[in-house]
Amino acid sequence: HATGPVLEVNNIEVVYNKTVQALRGLSLAVPRGQIVALLGSNGAGKSTTLKAISRLLELEDGTLEAGRIAFDGQDTAQLAPQQLVRRGLSHVMEGRRVFEDLTVEDNLIASTYALSGRAGAPKPDFDLVYEYFPRLHERRRGLAGYLSGGEQQMLAIGRALIAQPTLMLLDEPSLGLSPKLTEDIFSIIARINAERGTSMLLVEQNATVALAVAHSGYIMENGKIVIDGSAERLASDPDVREFYLGTG
Ligand code: ATP
């Protein structure tokens, strides 16, 4: 498997509450070591795609009705979310979900329980997190609730990074952040990719910043992919520019 795409999503359909069809035959691939942007307007189904991949759909009464998802060449249908984490897939959910009443370090510890005591699971790497996010090291004894929005986003990414993932799913890391903080976060994301070879599937509203770090991208509408291509091609495509970059 070491040569094929790290992630292959084939023709998936997702339905919520047995009524709302959110994905309608969606296919995409993440080549090993690359950053792939998943773009599209509100409600297109970007978050749903990530939840289908990390198998968190069931928590929201969503079901994968058809299609196939392969992580590292293996069908994920029979795997629990924690098993996927142990195999190297980490999902940073939208909205910086951190435990506000725990310290920064305890937030990191809490995210290692899926790994603990399991043969073959990666060792939690606190130094790795603090290397990329020195600010979290400075604030490690402070409560996560007192961190700024940007620092909470760093902690959310750190909680995923501690498991030494081969694939990270990132849901709107720029949400609610200033342009400067967004730039800081994206340059760290690009460094993690370049230095560690971590593959990434990056969901973003902000297409401009996403395409600046991504190798390739997909644009979704109504539960399926409508355009795909290299990041350069998407960034210069007139339709993409008009509808998603606001520069048409
Ligand atoms: P956003 O950026 O606004 O989150 P998105 O592209 O991530 O948009 P999704 O959140 O995946 O879109 O939503 C896709 C569709 O599925 C929408 O029509 C949404 O209303 C619906 N949906 C999402 N979550 C649920 C849920 N838990 N129950 C029912 N419908 C849902």
Side-chain angles (χ1 to χ4, degrees):
H1 306 311
T3 52
V6 67
L7 179 74
E8 281 177 293
V9 175
N10 229 308
N11 240 333
I12 60 169
E13 312 220 348
V14 166
V15 175
Y16 285 111
N17 311 316
K18 301 197 163 57
T19 48
V20 183
Q21 179 149 18
L23 300 183
R24 308 160 187 275
L26 176 130
S27 299
L28 58 77
V30 178
R32 217 163 278 273
Q34 296 208 353
I35 301 180
V36 174
L38 182 59
L39 311 171
S41 46
N42 273 328
K46 304 180 299 295
S47 299
T48 299
T49 303
L50 297 192
K51 287 174 196 161
I53 295 165
S54 62
R55 298 195 53 76
L56 294 177
L57 274 179
E58 280 78 6
L59 301 177
E60 301 189 28
D61 202 16
T63 43
L64 185 63
E65 303 261 304
R68 180 177 186 271
I69 300 175
F71 171 57
D72 250 336
Q74 190 184 13
D75 195 326
T76 60
Q78 306 308 326
L79 297 172
Q82 298 91 321
Q83 288 176 305
L84 284 167
V85 173
R86 288 196 286 273
R87 283 162 199 241
L89 191 151
S90 292
H91 184 168
V92 183
M93 303 225 276
E94 186 172 356
R96 311 168 210 139
R97 312 227 181 151
V98 301
F99 298 113
E100 301 197 344
D101 299 332
L102 295 184
T103 65
V104 167
E105 191 137 285
D106 284 343
N107 265 273
L108 294 175
I109 290 169
S111 69
T112 66
Y113 287 136
L115 310 175
S116 60
R118 297 298 187 125
K123 211 171 117 19
D125 192 342
F126 291 81
D127 292 341
L128 175 68
V129 176
Y130 292 141
E131 175 195 329
Y132 283 103
F133 301 105
R135 185 71 185 144
L136 294 182
H137 187 256
E138 287 165 28
R139 303 294 305 267
R140 67 191 182 283
R141 310 224 186 282
L143 292 185
Y146 293 138
L147 297 176
S148 71
E151 290 164 349
Q152 287 190 17
Q153 185 58 267
M154 291 176 189
L155 181 54
I157 297 171
R159 295 190 60 196
L161 186 61
I162 199 161
Q164 305 190 54
T166 49
L167 173 65
M168 288 177 92
L169 310 178
L170 296 159
D171 199 343
E172 302 251 11
S174 79
L175 192 76
L177 300 187
S178 69
K180 166 76 176 97
L181 273 171
T182 300
E183 198 181 296
D184 292 349
I185 295 271
F186 273 76
S187 79
I188 295 169
I189 289 170
R191 263 185 62 209
I192 293 170
N193 167 257
E195 296 170 3
R196 299 186 53 81
T198 310
S199 311
M200 307 203 179
L201 181 58
L202 171 62
V203 160
E204 260 298 332
Q205 288 282 331
N206 189 334
T208 309
V209 295
L211 290 176
V213 297
H215 299 89
S216 62
Y218 292 89
I219 297 186
M220 287 187 74
E221 251 172 50
N222 263 317
K224 53 181 181 236
I225 303 297
V226 290
I227 309 177
D228 72 276
S230 72
E232 298 77 33
R233 193 177 89 63
L234 292 179
S236 61
D237 180 306
D239 287 341
V240 175
R241 292 178 68 83
E242 176 171 4
F243 293 110
Y244 303 100
L245 303 178
T247 55

